[in-house]
Amino acid sequence: MAETNDGKFTISQAIDSLGVSKFTISIFFLVGIAMMFDGYDYMIISYTNTQIINDFFPLAMFGGDVQAQNAATAAMKGALSSWSTIGIVVGSFFAGPLSDKFGRKKILTAGTFLYGLFTIPCIFAPNYEMFAVFRVIAGLFLGVCTPIVTTLFTEFTPTKQRSFFITFGMAWMIVGWVVAALVGTIVVQVTTWHMCYAIGALPVLYAFIFGKFTPESAHWCSVKGNAAGAVKTLERIQKRAGKPIPYEIKAENIIVPPVSAKASPAEVWKGKYLKTTVALVIIYFAGNFSIYGVNAWLPSLMLEATGGAVTASYMLAMAQNAASVVANCTTGYVSEAIGRRRNLAFGYMFATCMCLITAAVVQLPAETSFWPYLIAFVFMGFALNYGITAAQPMMSESYPTEFRNSGVATIVALGKSAGILSPIVLGGLKAAGWAFTPLIGILAIPMFVGFLATFLLPKGAKGMDIDDIASADNN
């Protein structure tokens, strides 16, 4: 949006004038840590499911017969990965309307606190059923948090670096995976699985830190007619950035972009938004099916792939996660360079190819093929996360501020429903005797479907600030 000569400015111009500042970095950490708990919550189950099952269904119940125990508890063990995801899917649906109506900060703070609060009963659950119930309830509030993170990165970062911060911000989820792997590997050896969930309840404390140091989105305040709130946020941004915004920060100087006459969550399924929403749901569902499928069974699959070598299997898992962090950083830069849609199509085709290549590599003898395994898994982890993270900028940039988070939340909710289905499908195939090679190879199918869906998308909002997007949406 062009600058005016009468002292008036948009929220985007104010934020862009500061560039990447101390405030930007503080938001990266404050919002990112909230995202980290999502990654920790999901992955910690993969590292504690055996201990949980053994605790609730001890071997003595089956007369010491390990095979009988495994047969009787296989479905319940697999379902452990799905209980929280069920809550996340349902909670994500509510995240959009709630944060679009009451504000990003309020809902994310409340969701973080309540997620931590309802994780505490999991520590003291007397049986499997109660553990599952509280995992679902905690997941509801974690689901409220996840979509808002993407929206806040979109609304708080400068236009030129927006894609980078959105995608790099998603790396906090992978940090959560790594933390879960370390906690699940080390803590369980010195204490019980209960301590892993005590650590998972820390958001009940972090919510107070987040609420104190994170301002409300100035974009949200402005479109809601809360000019005073927008001014307050800009003043906080300026102070923390350590340099002045080159405009006189007064309510009457803020240019509010055109606001859609209809701003309900249902708008994401209407008119020009319909095709984009459908395409992004397909793309995000496909990516989550592959990533959640791998992660739910990652420790056991890696163990099988390396012939039972525990150290080697964890090295593969950690290397794959490290590659995923690099992928999240890289895809943001490439998105700015070649455009959102091209980058997304490239990412999903790259992931399709790497699933097939990795499936072929694991046919090699495990005892003599550590390095081929390592390289294949690293590139597969890189490719899967590069692809799905490339969707994040398009998710938040495809909708105007007044129902932006409703759009993001809809895509996240429907896309993450794959996290319920995938572990069950792959677990069933594994129980049916499928070898490691076809289990990896089958992941290429959803990624290729996601690649095809990219052709339904518009080019994206590369180079457009939030207010430009809003003006274009309402023209």
Side-chain angles (χ1 to χ4, degrees):
M1 184 172 287
E3 291 191 28
T4 63
N5 296 318
D6 56 2
K8 294 186 179 296
F9 63 94
T10 65
I11 300 296
S12 293
Q13 287 173 341
I15 292 175
D16 288 350
S17 70
L18 297 174
V20 176
S21 64
K22 293 178 182 177
F23 172 80
T24 315
I25 302 304
S26 71
I27 286 296
F28 176 73
F29 280 92
L30 285 165
V31 178
I33 290 171
M35 189 67 173
M36 180 183 71
F37 292 122
D38 186 334
Y40 180 90
D41 178 83
Y42 183 77
M43 190 58 79
I44 196 63
I45 278 289
S46 297
Y47 291 92
T48 58
N49 55 11
T50 299
Q51 291 81 7
I52 291 170
I53 290 296
N54 288 340
D55 196 5
F56 291 139
F57 305 98
L59 196 58
M61 289 178 61
F62 304 92
D65 189 337
V66 176
Q67 290 186 338
Q69 183 195 42
N70 290 340
T73 61
M76 288 182 285
K77 184 176 181 179
L80 282 172
S81 297
S82 298
W83 296 124
S84 179
T85 309
I86 291 171
I88 289 172
V89 169
V90 176
S92 294
F93 275 115
F94 291 99
L98 286 172
S99 67
D100 283 338
K101 183 173 182 178
F102 299 107
R104 320 310 194 198
K105 173 188 173 179
K106 289 178 183 177
I107 301 304
L108 184 52
T109 303
T112 301
F113 175 80
L114 291 170
Y115 158 68
L117 184 67
F118 283 100
T119 297
I120 294 172
C122 295
I123 305 168
F124 305 102
N127 52 50
Y128 180 93
E129 291 75 16
M130 290 302 296
F131 181 84
V133 166
F134 283 108
R135 285 288 291 168
V136 172
I137 296 173
L140 283 171
F141 296 106
L142 185 60
V144 168
C145 299
T146 307
I148 303 176
V149 167
T150 299
T151 299
L152 281 177
F153 279 131
T154 302
E155 295 177 352
F156 271 137
T157 54
T159 300
K160 290 183 179 179
Q161 292 83 23
R162 185 174 65 227
S163 181
F164 170 76
F165 276 102
I166 293 172
T167 58
F168 191 21
M170 295 301 105
W172 282 99
M173 178 178 285
I174 301 162
V175 172
W177 296 354
V178 175
V179 172
L182 293 172
V183 170
T185 303
I186 298 170
V187 172
V188 170
Q189 293 183 12
V190 293
T191 179
T192 67
W193 62 266
H194 303 81
M195 183 56 67
C196 297
Y197 293 88
I199 294 171
L202 288 176
V204 78
L205 300 177
Y206 180 70
F208 291 97
I209 298 173
F210 179 85
K212 179 176 176 60
F213 293 103
T214 306
E216 184 53 86
S217 164
H219 285 285
W220 178 83
C221 289
S222 67
V223 301
K224 289 296 181 179
N226 183 8
V231 167
K232 183 178 179 181
T233 293
L234 291 176
E235 288 175 342
R236 289 185 68 179
I237 291 174
Q238 179 178 247
K239 182 178 180 181
R240 195 178 301 173
K243 49 186 174 179
I245 293 172
Y247 304 101
E248 190 175 6
I249 305 175
K250 291 184 177 180
E252 59 268 26
N253 290 340
I254 297 175
I255 300 173
V256 180
V259 178
S260 176
K262 297 179 179 179
S264 73
E267 293 303 308
V268 303
W269 296 106
K270 297 179 181 178
K272 63 183 178 182
Y273 301 111
L274 175 60
K275 187 168 72 170
T276 298
T277 301
V278 170
L280 286 171
V281 167
I282 293 171
I283 290 165
Y284 205 60
F285 184 94
N288 276 291
F289 185 93
S290 296
I291 288 177
Y292 273 69
V294 168
N295 288 340
W297 296 94
L298 191 61
S300 58
L301 289 176
M302 292 295 189
L303 204 61
E304 180 181 334
T306 54
V310 175
T311 302
S313 69
Y314 282 128
M315 283 181 66
L316 286 174
M318 294 294 286
Q320 187 184 48
N321 288 336
S324 299
V325 173
V326 176
N328 285 26
C329 304
T330 306
T331 192
Y333 275 121
V334 178
S335 180
E336 293 290 0
I338 68 174
R340 315 307 197 216
R341 185 175 65 186
R342 288 181 181 176
N343 186 48
L344 190 52
F346 165 75
Y348 270 68
M349 179 50 72
F350 180 31
T352 300
C353 294
M354 283 313 307
C355 287
L356 295 174
I357 290 171
T358 304
V361 168
V362 296
Q363 294 183 79
L364 300 173
E367 60 274 10
T368 59
S369 306
F370 176 78
W371 287 107
Y373 275 40
L374 178 64
I375 294 169
F377 278 115
V378 163
F379 275 97
M380 185 177 75
F382 179 95
L384 287 172
N385 282 278
Y386 185 104
I388 194 169
T389 307
Q392 295 290 339
M394 289 211 74
M395 286 164 53
S396 59
E397 294 172 350
S398 294
Y399 308 99
T401 300
E402 53 267 31
F403 56 88
R404 174 172 298 119
N405 208 51
S406 291
V408 174
T410 297
I411 296 162
V412 169
L414 294 175
K416 282 208 170 188
S417 64
I420 302 170
L421 180 64
S422 181
I424 295 172
V425 170
L426 295 184
L429 294 176
K430 188 172 184 293
W434 279 44
F436 194 52
T437 291
L439 281 174
I440 290 294
I442 200 174
L443 300 180
I445 297 174
M447 298 309 291
F448 185 70
V449 172
F451 164 74
L452 295 177
T454 63
F455 293 97
L456 297 174
L457 293 170
K459 290 183 179 179
K462 173 190 171 185
M464 296 175 66
D465 66 36
I466 297 300
D467 301 291
D468 287 333
I469 295 170
S471 297
D473 283 337
N474 285 283
N475 287 335

